[in-house]
Amino acid sequence: MVNENMKKLGQERSAIREIFEYGNARANEIGRENVFDFSLGNPNVPAPDCVREEIEKLLVKVPAQRLHGYTSAAGAPEVRNAVADYIRAAFGVSARADLIYMTCGAAASLSIVLHALCEEGDEFVIVTPCFPEYRVFIEAAGGRVTEARANEAFHLDLAALDRAVGTRTKGVLINSPNNPTGVVYGEEEICALAELLKRKSAEKGAPVVLIADEPYRELTYGARVPYLPKYYADTIVCYSFSKSLSLAGERIGYISVSPACAGAEDLFAAVCGAGRSLGYVCAPALFQRVCAACLGKSSSLRAYEENRDLLYNALTEYGFSCIRPDGAFYLFIKSPEEDAAAFCARAKAYELLLVPSDSFGIKGYVRISYCVSKQMIERALPAFLKLANEYKK
Amino acid sequence: MVNENMKKLGQERSAIREIFEYGNARANEIGRENVFDFSLGNPNVPAPDCVREEIEKLLVKVPAQRLHGYTSAAGAPEVRNAVADYIRAAFGVSARADLIYMTCGAAASLSIVLHALCEEGDEFVIVTPCFPEYRVFIEAAGGRVTEARANEAFHLDLAALDRAVGTRTKGVLINSPNNPTGVVYGEEEICALAELLKRKSAEKGAPVVLIADEPYRELTYGARVPYLPKYYADTIVCYSFSKSLSLAGERIGYISVSPACAGAEDLFAAVCGAGRSLGYVCAPALFQRVCAACLGKSSSLRAYEENRDLLYNALTEYGFSCIRPDGAFYLFIKSPEEDAAAFCARAKAYELLLVPSDSFGIKGYVRISYCVSKQMIERALPAFLKLANEYKK
């Protein structure tokens, strides 16, 4: 009676969400302070003060019927202008307000862009390990997924990309700073990627579009994140304020179609059409304005950096193997046994909730989100030590 | 290079949105007070005070990282509980929090429900005239649209519905109070519809699902709106706070799967899966909580009723023909010439922005949204009179 694909998607839920829900239920049983939930990328650092201040200001300044009323489908004009101005100033590239589309967050941005681009038979390349929902969104848009495995250090593997990108490839989706590895792609590998995509586009006779999923752009600990439209013309940036402003639940972000894209106006029209057909009438009106006023600001990154150092130093000392992340708020540690799910089950016995890497498209790792309180990490460390010791017996 | 369907949808935009955008541009040219924009259902009555009060309270009471963080995909548990409690108390029916799914407004609700239900070859019946986007959402979900024309008074035409609903019909979508006619379906016709659907379900050997699109539920001027799950078991209610709380831009509503639905749990799982696959991670977190606290409240309906009376009385006096609406905030007047678009073009010369009925699935009418200021209506009346007089020459 129902669509079986949808039912299956709803029953499985995402592995991450599943653990998050378990963690909430477990917290009710044994107290939140006794559950060490490292599953979800739900920022623990509060939104910067500008968010609350701006909400309060808007509530006084703007009449309610205008503040909370529909905006244009692509966003309030003053918000789109502010975003385009910000992109120009921050990255030194051209940007046009009429190519900015405000969205309900990164997942909406990606869904809309994929629906806008995808024609029958199109393939999209993802770099694994990656956010598991990429596959869901690509398939929902009617596309086929092709995987290009990252290299051993979880940076771009150009040879793998060369094999993965073919004449049926409509787009390549990359995410830096990366979820789940915390890796930031450097300028050199981005230049090489751009060269590869130019060559592939020439072979294909049509542009291979680069889709940049950028919810973690500001979350770096020293590393510089190259702005992709500077390196490759046919780039669409999918941005979200979820992490930078700690507004993950408010569902607010934007799509920026680079003015250098071939057929940028057609592309933007397709973005508008996809948003319409998926039921996205406009992005939440109040938070459009709040985010426009907070462009360039971010939650305190100090706490994340402290968490990273605390966890990374302790876990490597305990014998876990892991790359030191340059950005985002994830540690991607090698499972000490082959089956990451079995390792996570053992961790669960110590109330440590970790996400096995299988759903990220790679076996044998687990993701640890460290966007949690330092106190929780400190309370969790003895559990991690016990867990590590289990493997030393 | 892009999906041509999406490009077309984006270029056409909806007829309503097109006029709204024109109105904004025109307001910049000649001043907003000289443009009489009756195009969009964007509430002009401010949100009730409880909305601002609740936002202010939440900003103080709930830590920012929790207030603005992800909720569960289906919504915050306390919000889903509050909605289920409200449904039970207000309508005297059973309702279950675990069958409530918070959404980004009515368009999202409908898109999600249609994707959840639609299997290959499924048809969905709509009652015309109706909201134009129904067609877009049904087709995006892979369904086929079958129209059942309303009767002359724009109430349900049971004979037309009998012809339209067949063995391939998965669902029937109805909207009361109705956009664009303002009609409220009475208990008698709802009972007859329920009987018809029971018979059709028996013939088909599977339930025909009734999808109730209810953004205007509270917007009535005396008429009672039957609560459909009381009359027909296999009902899914798609509710939005856009109009009742004047929050159209905030994108907040819910889906309520009636516990009496056959396979309610499977249906709900498919709703969760559809939300996930369309990129709806969760409904906006702050407004989930605001709406839970404002359940059962609504913006002042007095202003809409005054507007209705003012416009209805004047326009019928000028010679226009129209049904007196019982709910919502639309007048659906008969075009004095056959071609409604030509009539709207003539109206535009007087800066009157009306929506021709063609996109609603019927020819020869125009929709006038009266969710505008009384002052604008008063300023617009001389223009309406001149327009009427053109047809008396």
Side-chain angles (χ1 to χ4, degrees), chain A residues 70-362:
Chain A
Y70 290 119
T71 69
S72 292
E78 68 276 20
V79 171
R80 298 167 73 196
N81 277 325
V83 170
D85 288 348
Y86 173 75
I87 292 173
R88 275 192 297 270
F91 308 114
V93 294
S94 71
R96 274 167 42 194
D98 64 328
L99 296 176
I100 301 291
Y101 183 95
M102 301 302 297
T103 67
C104 293
S109 299
L110 289 170
S111 294
I112 290 170
V113 165
L114 290 163
H115 276 83
L117 288 172
C118 192
E119 298 173 282
E120 180 130 24
D122 276 350
E123 297 181 2
F124 291 86
V125 173
I126 57 178
V127 178
T128 54
C130 69
F131 184 48
E133 300 299 275
Y134 288 168
R135 180 175 290 277
V136 176
F137 301 150
I138 291 168
E139 289 174 354
R144 275 189 47 186
V145 176
T146 309
E147 296 185 18
R149 175 60 54 88
N151 69 20
E152 295 234 318
F154 297 123
H155 279 263
L156 296 176
D157 179 336
L158 274 295
L161 280 160
D162 200 354
R163 286 190 301 275
V165 179
T167 53
R168 308 188 74 166
T169 304
K170 178 59 72 70
V172 174
L173 209 167
I174 73 167
N175 170 224
S176 167
N178 187 266
N179 172 11
T181 65
V183 160
V184 174
Y185 301 146
E187 189 163 30
E188 202 174 324
E189 60 195 310
I190 293 300
C191 286
L193 173 67
E195 282 314 307
L196 181 147
L197 293 180
K198 281 175 206 163
R199 178 164 52 79
K200 294 286 183 178
S201 299
E203 282 167 26
K204 187 188 167 189
V208 175
V209 178
L210 183 58
I211 304 167
D213 179 29
E214 300 219 327
Y216 303 102
R217 163 159 287 282
E218 291 81 6
L219 273 66
T220 61
Y221 313 110
R224 211 178 65 76
V225 184
Y227 192 68
L228 300 185
K230 281 178 102 156
Y231 301 85
Y232 186 66
D234 295 293
T235 299
I236 302 178
V237 174
C238 295
Y239 183 81
S240 164
F241 296 95
S242 287
K243 318 292 181 177
S244 60
L245 295 179
S246 294
L247 295 177
E250 302 301 355
R251 313 314 304 142
I252 184 78
Y254 62 78
I255 294 164
S256 171
V257 173
S258 168
C261 276
E265 286 79 10
D266 281 358
L267 231 168
F268 192 78
V271 163
C272 293
R276 182 182 167 195
S277 92
L278 296 173
Y280 290 105
V281 173
C282 64
L286 172 64
F287 279 95
Q288 282 190 43
R289 296 184 175 96
V290 168
C291 290
C294 298
L295 282 161
K297 305 211 172 130
S298 72
S299 305
S300 163
L301 302 181
R302 191 83 191 87
Y304 295 137
E305 195 169 5
E306 278 181 23
N307 286 354
R308 178 195 65 166
D309 292 341
L310 179 60
L311 253 184
Y312 175 81
N313 294 339
L315 294 191
T316 50
E317 189 196 311
Y318 300 163
F320 291 109
S321 163
C322 171
I323 284 173
R324 190 162 181 268
D326 287 323
F329 36 50
Y330 306 108
L331 276 186
F332 204 56
I333 69 170
K334 199 157 172 48
S335 170
E337 60 182 305
E338 210 180 315
D339 182 350
F343 172 58
C344 288
R346 284 220 215 186
K348 212 171 171 181
Y350 297 99
E351 310 298 346
L352 290 167
L353 305 184
L354 318 178
V355 182
S357 62
D358 302 64
S359 65
F360 296 99
I362 192 171

Side-chain angles (χ1 to χ4, degrees), chain A residues 1-15 17 20-21 24 40-47 51-52 55-56 59-60 64-74 104 107-108 111-112 115-120 122 132-133 136-137 140-141 170 206-207 209 234 242-243 246-251 261-263 265-267 269-289, chain B residues 1-15 17 20-21 24 40-47 51-52 55-56 59-60 64-74 104 107-108 111-112 115-120 122 132-133 136-137 140-141 170 206-207 209 234 242-243 246-251 261-263 265-267 269-289:
Chain A
M1 181 182 136
V2 299
N3 183 299
E4 285 298 317
N5 278 341
M6 295 302 153
K7 183 176 138 192
K8 209 170 135 241
L9 275 177
Q11 282 173 338
E12 296 170 354
R13 286 196 292 205
S14 80
R17 283 252 156 202
F20 170 67
E21 306 287 352
N24 280 336
L40 201 63
N42 205 359
N44 178 264
V45 172
V51 167
R52 203 196 58 247
I55 294 174
E56 286 168 349
L59 285 175
V60 173
Q65 61 270 42
R66 201 151 71 74
L67 182 60
H68 303 303
Y70 290 119
T71 69
S72 292
C104 293
S111 294
I112 290 170
H115 276 83
L117 288 172
C118 192
E119 298 173 282
E120 180 130 24
D122 276 350
E133 300 299 275
V136 176
F137 301 150
K170 178 59 72 70
V209 178
D234 295 293
S242 287
K243 318 292 181 177
S246 294
L247 295 177
E250 302 301 355
R251 313 314 304 142
C261 276
E265 286 79 10
D266 281 358
L267 231 168
V271 163
C272 293
R276 182 182 167 195
S277 92
L278 296 173
Y280 290 105
V281 173
C282 64
L286 172 64
F287 279 95
Q288 282 190 43
R289 296 184 175 96
Chain B
M1 179 180 136
V2 299
N3 183 298
E4 285 298 317
N5 278 341
M6 296 301 154
K7 182 176 140 193
K8 211 171 133 238
L9 274 178
Q11 282 174 337
E12 297 170 353
R13 285 195 293 206
S14 80
R17 283 255 155 198
F20 170 68
E21 306 287 353
N24 280 336
L40 202 62
N42 206 358
N44 178 265
V45 173
V51 166
R52 202 197 57 250
I55 295 173
E56 286 167 350
L59 286 175
V60 173
Q65 61 272 41
R66 201 152 71 75
L67 183 61
H68 303 302
Y70 290 119
T71 69
S72 292
C104 292
S111 294
I112 290 169
H115 276 82
L117 288 173
C118 193
E119 297 173 282
E120 180 129 25
D122 277 349
E133 301 298 275
V136 175
F137 300 150
K170 177 59 73 69
V209 178
D234 295 293
S242 287
K243 318 291 181 175
S246 293
L247 295 176
E250 303 301 354
R251 314 312 304 141
C261 276
E265 286 78 11
D266 281 358
L267 230 168
V271 162
C272 294
R276 181 182 168 194
S277 92
L278 296 171
Y280 289 105
V281 174
C282 64
L286 172 64
F287 279 96
Q288 283 190 42
R289 297 183 175 98

Side-chain angles (χ1 to χ4, degrees), chain A residues 25-69:
Chain A
R26 190 73 181 137
N28 285 335
E29 286 166 33
I30 62 168
R32 190 159 291 279
E33 70 284 4
N34 299 312
V35 179
F36 312 124
D37 185 352
F38 294 95
S39 67
L40 201 63
N42 205 359
N44 178 264
V45 172
D49 290 341
C50 60
V51 167
R52 203 196 58 247
E53 286 162 12
E54 196 58 31
I55 294 174
E56 286 168 349
K57 200 190 297 174
L58 288 165
L59 285 175
V60 173
K61 208 177 65 177
V62 183
Q65 61 270 42
R66 201 151 71 74
L67 182 60
H68 303 303

Side-chain angles (χ1 to χ4, degrees), chain B residues 186-254:
Chain B
E187 190 164 29
E188 202 174 324
E189 61 195 307
I190 292 301
C191 286
L193 173 67
E195 282 314 307
L196 183 146
L197 293 180
K198 282 174 207 165
R199 178 164 51 81
K200 294 285 184 179
S201 299
E203 282 168 25
K204 189 189 166 190
V208 176
V209 178
L210 183 58
I211 304 167
D213 179 29
E214 300 220 326
Y216 303 102
R217 163 159 287 282
E218 291 81 6
L219 275 66
T220 61
Y221 313 111
R224 211 177 66 76
V225 184
Y227 192 67
L228 300 185
K230 281 177 102 157
Y231 300 86
Y232 185 68
D234 295 293
T235 299
I236 302 177
V237 174
C238 295
Y239 184 80
S240 164
F241 296 96
S242 287
K243 318 291 181 175
S244 59
L245 295 180
S246 293
L247 295 176
E250 303 301 354
R251 314 312 304 141
I252 183 78
Y254 62 79

